[in-house]
Amino acid sequence: MNFHARHYRTLRPVKVSVENGIFRSIDDIVDGDDLPFIAPGLFDLQINGINGTWFSDENLTVDQCLEALQAHYQYGITHLFPTLITNSFEALQNGFSVIRQACEQHSWANRMVLGCHLEGPYIAIEDGPRGAHPLDQVRPCDWKELQRLQAASGNRIRLLTLAPESEGAPEFIRKCVANGIAVSIGHTAASTGQIAAAVAAGATLSTHLGNGAHGTLRRHPNYIWDQLGEPRLTASIIADGQHLPASVVRSFFFAKGKENIVLTCDASGLAGCPPGVYNFEGNSFEVLKTGHVVIAGQEQFLAGSGVQTDVCISTMMQMTGCSLADAWDMATINPARITNVDCAEFEVGKAANFVLFEQEETSSELKILKTVAAADVVFDSF
Ligand SMILES: [Zn+2]
């Protein structure tokens, strides 16, 4: 298979040859300034579901899980971490075991799911930091519980979001890191000292920095500055254009640098659903006409994003002026480095997972034309 496209880094036309599932050659060619771009498939660390399916659903089935995974190809996403949020042990165990079964039964799903993200349940109790996580299921760190969930997932939990003030957090973080689970700080109201202790214990990421926080905060110190100013923490940010204003995205970007930002959409299970009120696990959510997903009855507290990672790329470019290549790295190699997994890379000898797309010049908006995973065309807009 040969493809002609423009390289997302050099922006120059290239001829790409794919053989036996890998890139055989990537060569510059002379003509092709109007060709679509080619880039490695996107990788998102935090996706809760899509089209009304939540990976956290205690009644999730293997078919629903597969359908939800497959739906991401149209957005150029070839790798993701299904994300399960605070819930009962039984519901989490079911979710992880369904994901394991889906991956064991279908090699494409196993390639797509590079790991799972457990967001909670060891988080802050307070309104604001807790976000949309159910209060009655928040609990202190529990290593035995995590081991049982890890067994249910077939060892797929590779990222855990917790609050450093959760009882026993430093020791728990050390155990996670020693067992190959990256630890991220999030849904927290931690003190400066508690954040420092979590970082010393091995936490390396902040989960959606600037969201899952109080509406009003002491000017300083506070847990946002403490994480922003800590060079050992990479920051994941929801760059969907809804969760953070441009000045905040720019401040985070300038403070952390392009290598220490991870873009995530944190898509809600209601992403892709028409406007309306939806009930899930006893909570009422609303998809507004604007596409925002909120707690029903108010418009202030967002409950995950209504868009996917491709939109985060264009928003990041718009808000910060960063290059296409830099934004793309923040949604591919940066999350892979933090979680120590192999995602798609656009290099000779690597697996042929890639996206062909066009980009609108003024808005930077992407139009995904084709997604290829392991040399199979898994989405084609034509
Ligand atoms: Zn969250």
Side-chain angles (χ1 to χ4, degrees):
M1 266 194 300
N2 292 326
F3 298 88
H4 291 81
R6 277 183 293 165
H7 195 298
Y8 77 113
R9 280 186 186 286
T10 64
L11 309 182
R12 292 220 298 270
V14 286
K15 179 184 168 191
V16 179
S17 297
V18 173
E19 247 178 56
N20 300 326
I22 62 164
F23 293 118
R24 187 59 61 198
S25 61
I26 302 171
D27 298 316
D28 282 350
I29 55 174
V30 179
D31 292 322
D33 287 340
D34 54 353
L35 287 169
F37 291 104
I38 186 165
L42 297 168
F43 168 35
D44 200 310
L45 287 179
Q46 189 163 357
I47 291 190
N48 300 283
I50 192 168
N51 297 336
T53 296
W54 301 73
F55 295 117
S56 295
D57 188 341
E58 56 190 340
N59 300 312
L60 182 74
T61 65
V62 171
D63 285 347
Q64 284 172 336
C65 178
L66 291 167
E67 204 174 309
L69 290 173
Q70 206 265 343
H72 288 87
Y73 287 136
Q74 65 186 292
Y75 304 106
I77 300 166
T78 55
H79 298 96
L80 60 89
F81 276 12
T83 299
L84 275 67
I85 69 162
T86 301
N87 209 334
S88 67
F89 170 76
E90 291 73 21
L92 292 172
Q93 186 184 41
N94 178 62
F96 284 122
S97 103
V98 166
I99 292 166
R100 173 177 55 75
Q101 290 169 55
C103 291
E104 285 174 357
Q105 290 169 18
H106 297 270
S107 55
W108 68 265
N110 202 36
R111 282 192 297 270
M112 186 174 213
V113 176
L114 293 178
C116 292
H117 180 173
L118 176 57
E119 189 192 17
Y122 320 125
I123 57 165
I125 303 169
E126 293 166 59
D127 286 346
R130 197 182 70 252
H133 291 232
L135 175 61
D136 58 352
Q137 298 295 351
V138 172
R139 45 199 183 265
C141 296
D142 183 340
W143 179 246
K144 282 213 172 75
E145 178 182 39
L146 181 61
Q147 282 179 301
R148 291 171 70 194
L149 295 173
Q150 185 65 302
S153 77
N155 226 24
R156 283 181 177 78
I157 301 174
R158 302 296 299 260
L159 178 62
L160 182 125
T161 293
L162 57 64
E165 67 271 32
S166 180
E167 202 183 310
E171 186 52 31
F172 183 82
I173 293 169
R174 274 186 206 97
K175 283 186 188 158
C176 288
V177 173
N179 285 275
I181 302 173
V183 174
S184 189
I185 295 173
H187 289 283
T188 179
S191 67
T192 302
Q194 287 165 332
I195 289 173
V199 172
T204 49
L205 184 67
S206 297
T207 292
H208 51 53
L209 189 62
N211 293 111
H214 291 95
T216 304
L217 264 185
R218 178 178 168 174
R219 70 197 189 297
H220 52 69
N222 66 49
Y223 47 78
I224 296 178
W225 287 117
D226 288 336
Q227 294 178 77
L228 188 61
E230 171 50 73
R232 289 170 290 178
L233 288 176
T234 289
S236 88
I237 58 172
I238 309 175
D240 63 348
Q242 301 173 349
H243 277 76
L244 294 170
S247 61
V248 174
V249 171
R250 275 197 295 278
S251 301
F252 288 180
F253 174 63
F254 294 141
K256 291 294 185 184
K258 63 185 183 185
E259 282 165 8
N260 296 308
I261 293 278
V262 167
L263 300 185
T264 180
C265 60
D266 191 10
S268 156
L270 296 176
C273 290
V277 175
Y278 298 83
N279 290 306
F280 175 65
E281 310 250 312
N283 291 302
S284 206
F285 299 104
E286 187 169 2
V287 179
L288 304 177
K289 286 198 181 74
T290 54
H292 291 56
V293 182
V294 298
I295 310 278
Q298 57 81 51
E299 300 192 356
Q300 188 195 350
F301 292 110
L302 297 168
S305 180
V307 299
Q308 275 73 26
T309 327
D310 57 326
V311 173
C312 300
I313 298 272
S314 48
T315 307
M316 194 65 189
M317 292 174 70
Q318 277 284 307
M319 287 182 164
T320 66
C322 75
S323 68
L324 174 65
D326 288 346
W328 212 273
D329 284 350
M330 294 177 216
T332 48
I333 59 174
N334 290 3
R337 189 190 66 237
I338 277 292
T339 53
N340 201 23
V341 296
D342 278 328
C343 77
E345 282 182 69
F346 188 52
E347 276 175 33
V348 171
K350 298 281 186 183
N353 299 295
F354 61 92
V355 191
L356 293 172
F357 62 95
E358 287 169 349
Q359 185 164 39
E360 213 274 317
E361 227 163 277
T362 42
S363 69
S364 303
E365 197 178 316
L366 306 185
K367 181 170 185 242
I368 306 295
L369 302 174
K370 210 185 274 283
T371 305
V372 177
D376 285 335
V377 177
V378 289
F379 170 71
D380 198 332
S381 66
F382 296 106

